[in-house]
Amino acid sequence: MSNEMSARLLLDEEDTVDAVHVTSSSSTVAILGSGDFSRSLAMRLVACGYGVAVGSRCVKRISPGLFLDAVELNSQEAAVAKAKSLVFMALFPEHYPSLLGLRSALAGKILVDVSNAVEMNSKRPSNAEQLAEMFPDSVVVKGFNTISAWTLQTGAQDGSRQVLLCSDSAEAKHEVAQLARRMGFYPVDVGSLCCAQDLERKPLQLFPSWRGPVLTTFLLLFFFYCYGFIRGILLPYIAYGQNSFYRLVFDLVNESLPCVALVSLALVYLPGLFAAWLQLWRGTKYQRFPCWLDAWLLRRKQLGLLSFLCAALHGVYSLCLPLRTITQRSLINSAYSQVKSGAEMPWDEQGVWRTDLYVFSGVLGLGILSLLAITSLPSVGNILTWREFTFIQSGLGYAALTLSVMHTLVFGWNFAFSSQAYAFYLPPSYMLAVALPCAVLVCRCLLLLPCVSARLARIRRGWESTRRCPVSQHHRVRVNTTVPQV
Amino acid sequence: MSNEMSARLLLDEEDTVDAVHVTSSSSTVAILGSGDFSRSLAMRLVACGYGVAVGSRCVKRISPGLFLDAVELNSQEAAVAKAKSLVFMALFPEHYPSLLGLRSALAGKILVDVSNAVEMNSKRPSNAEQLAEMFPDSVVVKGFNTISAWTLQTGAQDGSRQVLLCSDSAEAKHEVAQLARRMGFYPVDVGSLCCAQDLERKPLQLFPSWRGPVLTTFLLLFFFYCYGFIRGILLPYIAYGQNSFYRLVFDLVNESLPCVALVSLALVYLPGLFAAWLQLWRGTKYQRFPCWLDAWLLRRKQLGLLSFLCAALHGVYSLCLPLRTITQRSLINSAYSQVKSGAEMPWDEQGVWRTDLYVFSGVLGLGILSLLAITSLPSVGNILTWREFTFIQSGLGYAALTLSVMHTLVFGWNFAFSSQAYAFYLPPSYMLAVALPCAVLVCRCLLLLPCVSARLARIRRGWESTRRCPVSQHHRVRVNTTVPQV
Amino acid sequence: MSNEMSARLLLDEEDTVDAVHVTSSSSTVAILGSGDFSRSLAMRLVACGYGVAVGSRCVKRISPGLFLDAVELNSQEAAVAKAKSLVFMALFPEHYPSLLGLRSALAGKILVDVSNAVEMNSKRPSNAEQLAEMFPDSVVVKGFNTISAWTLQTGAQDGSRQVLLCSDSAEAKHEVAQLARRMGFYPVDVGSLCCAQDLERKPLQLFPSWRGPVLTTFLLLFFFYCYGFIRGILLPYIAYGQNSFYRLVFDLVNESLPCVALVSLALVYLPGLFAAWLQLWRGTKYQRFPCWLDAWLLRRKQLGLLSFLCAALHGVYSLCLPLRTITQRSLINSAYSQVKSGAEMPWDEQGVWRTDLYVFSGVLGLGILSLLAITSLPSVGNILTWREFTFIQSGLGYAALTLSVMHTLVFGWNFAFSSQAYAFYLPPSYMLAVALPCAVLVCRCLLLLPCVSARLARIRRGWESTRRCPVSQHHRVRVNTTVPQV
């Protein structure tokens, strides 16, 4: 084999290489910049057997001990000269023009641009493309911008080991990919340099998949809060001059939260039902769902976690009820009235069963919801098989929904049948909230009917109702041996 | 090097390859089927630099945009013809007979069977073996069936990156292993095609290691619930006609849950004590434990988590006590009696200390149990060293057990010495429940005695009592330089 | 290519190799010892295609079925003879002298020392160095000592895949690294054999980064408990003979915990403010922080989690207040006094708003703190981008701090202005505790001023005030094209 190939083989096989065995020109990487990223990158490259030369504008002001001894600190030109081919640009993009003087030194080298975008909706070209314009004799590879300095230092054990690379040159990408692989990362090619803008915006994302669910939850909360305010505080004030504004802080919140939790939980299971009925209607699973249904199906986990958060807050607020001055006052005044009436408080069997039942079902439902929340954690969710995950998220999920509906209906008891409930012709908010979950449960039970569920199972295993698939003549000749239809 | 070898080297080194540099016949993979798995697999293979040809029965009905542009959609024969050697069978196994017409086209190719079993206890041969029978001229490799479409798409960052492979042909396994490695997975050889049935059943497993503990917990709950029902509701009803059936929903549950939690927590630490005493008795650590003890030792985490769940539910139910109509009624009636007797409620120093102490110890014990539960999470448990893990699970675990026993004993206070406790000659359920934990704690203290613990430590570091190991003559000659015994 | 190189290539490419294809001498590894580690290591090596020969002092006593069938059980000499070059020393270090008889058999082999240190602060040389002294003709590589038997068995899917290696010989390290890589681990070279002592002590570490924060929390708890004891129990007892010692168990704890939580939470955000003001003062971000500030910045997560633990315990204890005999007694006696005075309890608008507000803000603050705690979990924290992580830990963190301060101030209400608060000239502990958080919030608001925040943002993007950086003549010539200084 040639020397070049043998050196490459050695590099491939030897992750941990004694400096003596490798010629210096084959494994020195230059890093321009001396901040946190530069320091962590240098540390990692040295641990993987590379020589590292850090170039800084102002070598004297780098604190001694900031970099490892094995790292050589130079001026920028010296560092670039020492590099075999890779030069990391660990500076902020606004400082790129300061390197224009190095254009000749950087000619023929591979510049790795690790910067991120400054703002999300910029009309300017990406940092990588600007760098490529400034240094037309060098090759620019965009990469490592989603890796934080901390991950570089600790070695990317868990979480994201993916390094996204893009460049116009395949050889440059290949070389950077080799380096990434040796550092313990997993390089992924995303295309040419025009993809750089997407890469640069990636770390600026702020929970993109949570926006819809959070907005939905806030809208529901706002709706139920205003509804409760109008029905319970404003209208009585206008009608009877009754001052219940103290209810704003606690009571209204503790009435709205469970309604939001109920409706959110129903919204978690509703798209699954839409999808099932759509597949039954179409008779096939191979047609795509509408965009809005796809997006909704992808947000189910976020909706579920928000529902759990509201339910847990409602639980804690309810447990705080005995701490309030109001509760203590009402207990004391009940005792006072009892004494005034001269008899003990009578035994209310219905009341006893009612509170015991709705507390029991509420706590159990919240307990099951917390199991669902725990299995949503990445590390737990990943050790479950698909069947286990479905058992919990679907099976236990519907159990939680049923218990929550039971909790609300028992809380309401026979109140719905008394005229007192419909003050100002408006039902209590929990009666509004429990409508959708009941509909979801009824719909799910319909899907359990043998004929319906059997047909759905067949569709999900690839069967298609014959009127959907225009089988060609050619196919009909081929498959007339056995055709598993129906 | 030969061309074949050089191409292979390039494939090994180059994860991200520009299509121009690689001849099309060396990296095209065919996928038969066009469902979710096929789509995700195609996406991943394209990202890793492979050419992909998807073959479908009915090309026209595949929605435009379902597959990436880089993926070629063909009829099944055309796709198979384009493949170099690998053909993924991304269809449900009941559709395999429909491919019999492709037998000649598939001759000499490697068929990768990614299907799972339909049911757990089938007597029929595995899908892979049936496929091998149908296509005797092709080689069948079973693999990727434990990887979900989602993991393929997102890239298997966390969790299971293992791809289990089995086949009768080593070269075929090797080629699929290379592909898996390039996709970022870690291939593991599990043997020949007769292992396929185990592989196919793996994703159908439903918490195999939780069955024993969940069954144990349910049996304990059932036992304590029935015991409390008989002692607290049924016998008083039969004896005095007292109607306490309202206690079924809440009180009985809140009495049974802590008993189950106590006994489960004791069951977590009991097998460790058995193991220690067994090692002390045998004088060696090299003999295997009985099967039941091995199985019990492997279920300790599940038992502990179930104990924490019961304890947490008990805590929440206890916090709900003031919300119940019953509690409010009894408070009001106490106030009424107080007024009737004409004096304030006297200061009960013992009662005050008792409730404060058992609430304090209960909450602290539950808090420590939650620390144990958190360190049972995979991601947290994995960053702990063995010493840290033992400190928490063993050290803090015994602290939680001690606090729970203290909580129960203080709750009982001196009630055990009054005859009232033994209604119908049956002690309260918490007295039954606290027996085993006390025994466990006493046993653990015995193990702390210096002589016992020193001997156990020696045994665990490899020492064996001499009567156990029949040292051969040959050994005795060899090791007469130094023999570290005792 | 030579035979040696071709064999190596085959080994590199073929993870799953049929025994027939590989000569036995090229892939047999010996393991001396037959405990848990030996068994798990043998299992893993067989799964990766190596031949394994286990050597034991006493082959007869190894239970049948303990090792896989594929593993050959031999005497120690036979096992060493079968090994190609790697011999794992899976024994406890005190047994190394028993192998001195094998010195000639082990000559020229690579001994992999997997032992850990027995104690942290030993003055003796490391086990690896002692082994190297005993066997001067063999090469010793220290490695795999941080990998537990369990990780070997299950395959190191999550968590630590890093295998730290050190040795005086680069070729030996390279060979062990290859083996580690094939087993699915990620080998890291940490240097020569003198580093072995650090490696051996690593698994003995017991939460090194938690010691400072736990000590701080305990000191704060001790301080607030003693302060409350002196102010609330001791001084009234000395002054008025008032016996409130029952308050020791519950009340004092429930007063100290929130103070500790408040101060700890403030201590989480204080170092960030110090760092910001330091950077503003110095005009650069390139100077290192003082050691104490660096250490403090690295402990913020631990301080935050301890603060959350104290806050959660305070929350649960507060919810337990209605369960206490004291609370019930005071309610009943209030009712009694009410009856005695002949009037209902008056409506206290201020009291109602006060309790509702502080309960509401307390619960919401605790809810936000739990969100912070959840994102501190490794698996959750790793899927967040840097911007998302900062939004939660910094943005929501300050929101939680604000709500906690509000909770405390509303709880105090106008009590601070009454002389009753200053019993014995000592303010209530919560007034002491709320001082530091208020200072932190004020300081943070100062940092939000436009001029200050703009300057800090510039400094953090690499700008330096000119008086800091003595730019060399050479540099000035080079960069006079464009210099982005402001």
Side-chain angles (χ1 to χ4, degrees):
Chain A
M1 276 176 295
S2 68
N3 279 346
E4 164 93 348
M5 185 61 78
S6 68
R8 229 188 190 167
L9 256 178
L10 277 170
L11 283 174
D12 278 354
E13 295 167 14
E14 294 168 355
D15 251 32
T16 63
V17 168
D18 193 357
V20 172
H21 286 212
V22 178
T23 56
S24 57
S25 68
S26 68
S27 70
T28 301
V29 173
I31 307 177
L32 296 180
S34 54
D36 270 344
F37 192 87
S38 167
R39 179 159 44 113
S40 308
L41 183 61
M43 217 186 290
R44 187 121 200 96
L45 287 171
V46 165
C48 300
Y50 284 90
V52 175
V54 168
S56 165
R57 286 170 295 168
C58 201
V59 185
K60 289 190 194 54
R61 62 131 168 75
I62 298 177
S63 311
L66 195 74
F67 284 85
L68 297 175
D69 291 338
V71 172
E72 308 162 27
L73 301 174
N74 309 96
S75 66
Q76 290 175 332
E77 299 87 343
V80 169
K82 289 190 179 168
K84 179 195 175 200
S85 61
L86 283 173
V87 178
F88 277 85
M89 316 287 277
L91 336 159
F92 285 103
E94 47 262 38
H95 300 319
Y96 286 168
S98 72
L99 302 172
L100 282 169
L102 301 170
R103 199 180 289 184
S104 45
L106 289 171
K109 309 275 188 194
I110 300 175
L111 312 184
V112 184
D113 177 17
V114 301
S115 67
N116 290 311
V118 183
E119 47 185 30
M120 277 295 276
N121 304 309
S122 174
K123 299 220 180 347
R124 299 184 303 169
S126 64
N127 298 332
E129 287 163 332
Q130 296 184 38
L131 190 67
E133 273 186 52
M134 281 187 232
F135 299 92
D137 301 321
S138 319
V139 183
V140 172
V141 173
K142 180 89 207 166
F144 287 93
N145 68 314
T146 50
I147 308 290
S148 69
W150 180 250
T151 311
L152 277 175
Q153 257 189 297
T154 54
Q157 312 259 42
D158 1 90
S160 179
R161 292 174 57 241
Q162 265 191 355
V163 166
L164 305 168
L165 302 173
C166 70
S167 174
D168 289 332
S169 153
E171 294 89 359
K173 262 189 297 191
H174 165 60
E175 201 167 331
V176 178
Q178 267 196 315
L179 180 117
R181 226 176 301 129
R182 194 174 312 186
M183 284 167 61
F185 292 101
Y186 177 62
V188 172
D189 181 7
V190 293
S192 63
L193 211 61
C194 53
C195 303
Q197 196 148 54
D198 287 331
L199 284 194
E200 288 177 6
R201 287 184 182 163
K202 246 179 173 282
L204 291 189
Q205 285 180 339
L206 193 68
F207 299 115
S209 56
W210 283 81
R211 299 188 178 187
V214 167
L215 186 67
T216 308
T217 305
F218 267 116
L219 285 176
L220 283 171
L221 195 60
F222 184 71
F223 167 72
F224 282 111
Y225 194 84
C226 294
Y227 182 85
F229 174 70
I230 291 173
R231 179 180 180 274
I233 299 181
L234 193 61
L235 287 179
Y237 183 69
I238 293 174
Y240 316 124
Q242 182 180 327
N243 176 4
S244 341
F245 286 92
Y246 68 90
R247 298 187 65 231
L248 276 173
V249 177
F250 195 97
D251 290 296
L252 260 192
V253 171
N254 200 29
E255 279 172 22
S256 318
L257 281 174
C259 299
V260 175
L262 261 178
V263 176
S264 298
L265 194 57
L267 288 180
V268 170
Y269 294 99
L270 197 54
L273 296 176
F274 280 157
W277 287 107
L278 208 58
Q279 284 177 336
L280 282 168
W281 174 260
R282 289 170 170 175
T284 173
K285 73 164 184 170
Y286 292 109
Q287 255 181 292
R288 295 210 78 171
F289 296 131
C291 292
W292 57 269
L293 188 59
D294 253 344
W296 194 353
L297 283 166
L298 285 173
R299 307 279 191 270
R300 283 179 293 179
K301 174 172 106 164
Q302 287 83 350
L303 276 169
L305 288 173
L306 287 167
S307 164
F308 168 65
L309 175 71
C310 293
L313 279 177
H314 161 63
V316 178
Y317 277 125
S318 301
L319 289 176
C320 291
L321 283 168
L323 299 176
R324 304 171 68 203
T325 314
I326 275 193
T327 318
Q328 294 165 1
R329 177 180 178 269
S330 91
L331 263 179
I332 290 171
N333 286 343
S334 304
Y336 180 80
S337 334
Q338 228 40 57
V339 168
K340 282 288 164 240
S341 71
E344 271 205 348
M345 193 165 164
W347 176 254
D348 177 13
E349 184 90 8
Q350 266 211 3
V352 165
W353 277 96
R354 174 177 165 266
T355 54
D356 279 3
L357 270 174
Y358 81 68
V359 166
F360 173 79
S361 51
V363 172
L364 203 60
L366 189 60
I368 294 181
L369 274 181
S370 64
L371 274 187
L372 263 70
I374 288 172
T375 54
S376 298
L377 285 173
S379 60
V380 178
N382 280 314
I383 62 175
L384 301 177
T385 68
W386 173 86
R387 194 174 170 215
E388 290 169 347
F389 192 78
T390 310
F391 170 80
I392 292 198
Q393 295 288 340
S394 189
L396 288 191
Y398 272 103
L401 187 63
T402 311
L403 281 163
S404 313
V405 167
M406 209 177 104
H407 168 72
T408 315
L409 293 179
V410 173
F411 179 80
W413 205 248
N414 53 8
F415 196 51
F417 307 114
S418 85
S419 56
Q420 227 188 340
Y422 302 94
F424 312 100
Y425 307 106
L426 296 171
S429 32
Y430 60 82
M431 278 180 63
L432 292 184
V434 86
L436 185 63
C438 286
V440 164
L441 287 174
V442 163
C443 206
R444 184 71 179 90
C445 290
L446 284 178
L447 273 183
L448 288 174
L449 294 171
C451 47
V452 178
S453 70
R455 184 179 154 101
L456 188 61
R458 275 201 318 269
I459 288 176
R460 286 183 169 164
R461 287 189 78 79
W463 173 81
E464 303 186 85
S465 64
T466 43
R467 57 187 178 88
R468 290 271 161 218
C469 180
V471 176
S472 68
Q473 285 295 333
H474 189 54
H475 258 260
R476 218 171 278 130
V477 168
R478 286 265 183 209
V479 301
N480 60 9
T481 329
T482 42
V483 174
Q485 305 283 20
V486 178
Chain B
M1 277 176 292
S2 68
N3 280 345
E4 163 95 348
M5 185 64 77
S6 66
R8 234 196 191 153
L9 255 178
L10 277 170
L11 283 175
D12 278 352
E13 296 168 11
E14 293 168 355
D15 254 30
T16 63
V17 168
D18 193 357
V20 172
H21 286 212
V22 178
T23 56
S24 58
S25 70
S26 67
S27 70
T28 302
V29 172
I31 307 177
L32 297 179
S34 53
D36 270 344
F37 192 87
S38 166
R39 180 159 44 113
S40 309
L41 182 61
M43 217 186 290
R44 186 121 201 97
L45 287 170
V46 165
C48 300
Y50 284 92
V52 175
V54 169
S56 166
R57 286 170 295 168
C58 199
V59 185
K60 289 189 193 55
R61 63 132 167 74
I62 298 178
S63 311
L66 196 74
F67 284 85
L68 297 176
D69 292 337
V71 172
E72 309 163 26
L73 302 173
N74 308 96
S75 67
Q76 291 177 328
E77 300 88 343
V80 170
K82 288 190 177 165
K84 182 196 174 198
S85 61
L86 284 172
V87 178
F88 278 85
M89 315 287 279
L91 336 158
F92 284 104
E94 47 264 37
H95 301 318
Y96 286 168
S98 72
L99 302 172
L100 283 169
L102 301 171
R103 200 180 287 184
S104 45
L106 288 172
K109 310 275 187 195
I110 299 174
L111 312 183
V112 184
D113 177 16
V114 302
S115 66
N116 290 311
V118 183
E119 47 184 29
M120 277 296 274
N121 303 312
S122 172
K123 300 218 181 343
R124 298 186 303 168
S126 63
N127 299 333
E129 287 163 333
Q130 296 183 38
L131 190 66
E133 273 185 52
M134 280 187 233
F135 299 92
D137 302 320
S138 319
V139 183
V140 172
V141 174
K142 180 91 207 165
F144 287 93
N145 67 314
T146 50
I147 308 289
S148 69
W150 180 250
T151 311
L152 278 174
Q153 256 189 297
T154 54
Q157 311 261 42
D158 1 89
S160 181
R161 291 173 60 241
Q162 265 190 355
V163 166
L164 306 168
L165 301 174
C166 69
S167 174
D168 288 330
S169 154
E171 292 89 359
K173 261 189 299 192
H174 164 61
E175 200 166 334
V176 178
Q178 267 197 312
L179 179 117
R181 224 175 303 129
R182 191 173 315 182
M183 284 166 62
F185 292 102
Y186 177 63
V188 172
D189 180 8
V190 292
S192 62
L193 210 60
C194 55
C195 304
Q197 196 149 54
D198 288 331
L199 284 194
E200 287 176 6
R201 287 182 182 166
K202 247 181 173 285
L204 291 189
Q205 284 179 339
L206 193 66
F207 299 114
S209 56
W210 282 81
R211 299 190 180 187
V214 167
L215 186 66
T216 308
T217 305
F218 267 115
L219 285 176
L220 285 170
L221 195 60
F222 184 71
F223 166 73
F224 281 113
Y225 194 84
C226 292
Y227 182 85
F229 174 69
I230 291 173
R231 178 182 180 274
I233 299 181
L234 193 60
L235 288 179
Y237 183 70
I238 293 175
Y240 316 123
Q242 180 181 328
N243 176 5
S244 340
F245 285 93
Y246 68 90
R247 298 186 67 232
L248 275 172
V249 176
F250 195 97
D251 289 296
L252 260 191
V253 172
N254 200 28
E255 279 173 22
S256 317
L257 281 174
C259 300
V260 175
L262 261 178
V263 176
S264 298
L265 195 57
L267 289 180
V268 171
Y269 293 100
L270 197 54
L273 296 176
F274 280 157
W277 287 106
L278 208 59
Q279 285 177 336
L280 281 168
W281 174 258
R282 289 171 171 174
T284 173
K285 73 162 183 170
Y286 291 108
Q287 256 183 293
R288 294 212 78 172
F289 295 133
C291 291
W292 58 270
L293 188 59
D294 254 343
W296 194 354
L297 284 166
L298 285 172
R299 308 279 193 268
R300 283 180 292 178
K301 174 173 106 163
Q302 288 82 351
L303 276 169
L305 288 173
L306 286 168
S307 164
F308 169 65
L309 175 71
C310 294
L313 278 177
H314 161 63
V316 178
Y317 277 126
S318 302
L319 289 177
C320 289
L321 283 168
L323 298 177
R324 303 170 68 202
T325 312
I326 275 192
T327 319
Q328 294 165 2
R329 177 179 178 268
S330 92
L331 263 178
I332 289 171
N333 286 343
S334 304
Y336 180 80
S337 335
Q338 230 34 58
V339 168
K340 281 287 164 240
S341 70
E344 272 204 349
M345 194 165 161
W347 175 253
D348 177 15
E349 182 91 7
Q350 266 210 1
V352 165
W353 276 96
R354 173 179 166 264
T355 53
D356 279 4
L357 270 174
Y358 82 67
V359 166
F360 173 80
S361 50
V363 172
L364 202 60
L366 190 60
I368 294 181
L369 275 181
S370 64
L371 273 187
L372 263 71
I374 288 172
T375 54
S376 298
L377 286 173
S379 59
V380 178
N382 280 314
I383 63 175
L384 302 178
T385 69
W386 173 85
R387 193 173 170 216
E388 290 169 348
F389 192 77
T390 311
F391 171 78
I392 291 198
Q393 295 288 342
S394 189
L396 287 191
Y398 273 104
L401 187 63
T402 311
L403 281 164
S404 311
V405 167
M406 209 176 103
H407 168 72
T408 315
L409 293 178
V410 173
F411 179 80
W413 205 248
N414 54 7
F415 196 51
F417 307 115
S418 84
S419 56
Q420 230 189 339
Y422 303 96
F424 313 100
Y425 307 106
L426 297 170
S429 34
Y430 60 82
M431 279 180 64
L432 293 183
V434 85
L436 185 63
C438 286
V440 165
L441 286 173
V442 164
C443 206
R444 185 69 179 91
C445 290
L446 285 177
L447 273 182
L448 289 175
L449 294 173
C451 47
V452 178
S453 70
R455 184 179 154 101
L456 188 61
R458 274 200 320 266
I459 288 176
R460 284 181 171 168
R461 287 189 78 78
W463 172 81
E464 301 186 87
S465 67
T466 42
R467 55 187 179 89
R468 290 271 160 217
C469 179
V471 175
S472 67
Q473 286 295 331
H474 188 54
H475 260 258
R476 218 172 277 129
V477 168
R478 283 270 182 206
V479 301
N480 61 7
T481 327
T482 41
V483 175
Q485 304 282 17
V486 178
Chain C
M1 277 176 291
S2 69
N3 278 347
E4 164 93 346
M5 185 63 76
S6 66
R8 230 190 192 161
L9 256 178
L10 277 170
L11 283 175
D12 279 354
E13 294 167 15
E14 293 166 356
D15 250 33
T16 63
V17 167
D18 194 356
V20 172
H21 287 210
V22 179
T23 56
S24 59
S25 68
S26 67
S27 70
T28 302
V29 173
I31 307 177
L32 296 179
S34 53
D36 270 343
F37 192 88
S38 166
R39 180 160 43 113
S40 308
L41 182 61
M43 217 187 291
R44 187 120 201 99
L45 287 171
V46 166
C48 300
Y50 285 91
V52 176
V54 169
S56 165
R57 286 171 295 169
C58 201
V59 186
K60 287 192 196 55
R61 63 130 169 74
I62 297 177
S63 310
L66 196 75
F67 284 85
L68 296 176
D69 291 337
V71 172
E72 310 162 28
L73 302 174
N74 309 96
S75 66
Q76 290 176 330
E77 299 87 345
V80 170
K82 287 190 178 167
K84 182 196 174 198
S85 62
L86 283 172
V87 178
F88 277 86
M89 315 288 277
L91 336 158
F92 284 102
E94 46 263 38
H95 300 317
Y96 286 169
S98 72
L99 302 172
L100 283 170
L102 299 171
R103 201 180 287 183
S104 44
L106 288 171
K109 310 273 188 195
I110 299 174
L111 312 183
V112 185
D113 177 16
V114 301
S115 67
N116 289 312
V118 183
E119 49 185 28
M120 276 297 275
N121 303 311
S122 174
K123 299 218 182 343
R124 299 186 302 168
S126 63
N127 298 332
E129 287 163 332
Q130 297 183 37
L131 190 66
E133 272 185 51
M134 281 187 231
F135 298 93
D137 301 320
S138 318
V139 183
V140 172
V141 174
K142 179 88 206 166
F144 287 94
N145 68 316
T146 49
I147 307 290
S148 70
W150 181 250
T151 311
L152 277 175
Q153 258 191 295
T154 53
Q157 310 260 43
D158 0 90
S160 180
R161 292 174 58 242
Q162 266 191 354
V163 166
L164 306 168
L165 301 174
C166 71
S167 174
D168 289 331
S169 154
E171 293 88 0
K173 262 189 297 191
H174 164 58
E175 201 166 331
V176 178
Q178 267 195 312
L179 180 118
R181 225 174 302 130
R182 193 173 313 184
M183 284 166 62
F185 291 101
Y186 178 63
V188 172
D189 180 8
V190 292
S192 63
L193 210 60
C194 55
C195 303
Q197 197 150 54
D198 286 332
L199 283 195
E200 289 176 6
R201 286 181 182 167
K202 245 180 175 283
L204 292 188
Q205 283 179 339
L206 193 67
F207 299 115
S209 56
W210 282 82
R211 299 188 178 189
V214 167
L215 186 67
T216 307
T217 305
F218 266 115
L219 286 176
L220 283 171
L221 194 59
F222 184 71
F223 167 73
F224 281 113
Y225 193 84
C226 293
Y227 182 85
F229 174 70
I230 291 173
R231 178 182 180 274
I233 297 181
L234 193 62
L235 288 179
Y237 183 68
I238 293 174
Y240 316 124
Q242 181 181 328
N243 176 5
S244 340
F245 286 92
Y246 67 91
R247 299 186 65 231
L248 276 172
V249 176
F250 196 97
D251 290 295
L252 260 192
V253 171
N254 200 28
E255 280 173 21
S256 317
L257 281 173
C259 300
V260 175
L262 260 178
V263 176
S264 298
L265 195 57
L267 289 180
V268 170
Y269 293 98
L270 198 54
L273 296 176
F274 280 156
W277 288 107
L278 209 59
Q279 285 178 334
L280 281 168
W281 174 258
R282 289 171 170 176
T284 173
K285 75 162 183 170
Y286 293 108
Q287 256 183 291
R288 294 210 79 172
F289 295 131
C291 291
W292 58 269
L293 188 59
D294 253 342
W296 193 355
L297 284 166
L298 285 172
R299 308 278 193 269
R300 282 179 294 178
K301 175 174 106 163
Q302 288 82 351
L303 276 169
L305 288 172
L306 288 167
S307 165
F308 169 64
L309 175 71
C310 293
L313 279 177
H314 161 63
V316 177
Y317 278 126
S318 302
L319 289 176
C320 290
L321 284 168
L323 299 176
R324 303 170 68 202
T325 313
I326 275 193
T327 318
Q328 294 165 1
R329 177 179 178 269
S330 91
L331 262 179
I332 289 172
N333 287 343
S334 305
Y336 180 80
S337 332
Q338 230 35 60
V339 169
K340 282 286 166 244
S341 70
E344 271 203 351
M345 193 166 164
W347 176 253
D348 177 15
E349 183 89 7
Q350 267 210 3
V352 164
W353 277 96
R354 174 178 164 266
T355 53
D356 279 2
L357 271 174
Y358 81 67
V359 166
F360 173 79
S361 50
V363 172
L364 203 59
L366 189 59
I368 295 182
L369 275 181
S370 64
L371 274 186
L372 263 72
I374 288 172
T375 55
S376 298
L377 285 172
S379 60
V380 178
N382 281 314
I383 62 176
L384 301 177
T385 69
W386 173 86
R387 193 173 170 216
E388 291 168 347
F389 192 78
T390 311
F391 170 78
I392 292 197
Q393 295 288 340
S394 189
L396 287 191
Y398 272 103
L401 187 63
T402 311
L403 280 164
S404 311
V405 167
M406 210 177 102
H407 169 71
T408 315
L409 294 179
V410 173
F411 179 80
W413 205 247
N414 54 8
F415 196 52
F417 307 114
S418 84
S419 56
Q420 229 189 341
Y422 303 93
F424 311 100
Y425 307 105
L426 297 170
S429 33
Y430 61 82
M431 279 180 65
L432 293 184
V434 86
L436 185 63
C438 286
V440 164
L441 286 174
V442 164
C443 208
R444 185 70 180 88
C445 289
L446 285 178
L447 273 182
L448 288 175
L449 294 172
C451 47
V452 177
S453 71
R455 185 180 153 101
L456 187 62
R458 274 201 319 268
I459 289 176
R460 287 184 168 163
R461 287 189 78 79
W463 173 82
E464 302 186 85
S465 66
T466 43
R467 56 187 179 89
R468 290 272 161 213
C469 180
V471 177
S472 67
Q473 286 296 329
H474 189 54
H475 259 260
R476 219 172 276 128
V477 167
R478 283 272 183 203
V479 300
N480 60 6
T481 329
T482 42
V483 175
Q485 306 281 20
V486 166

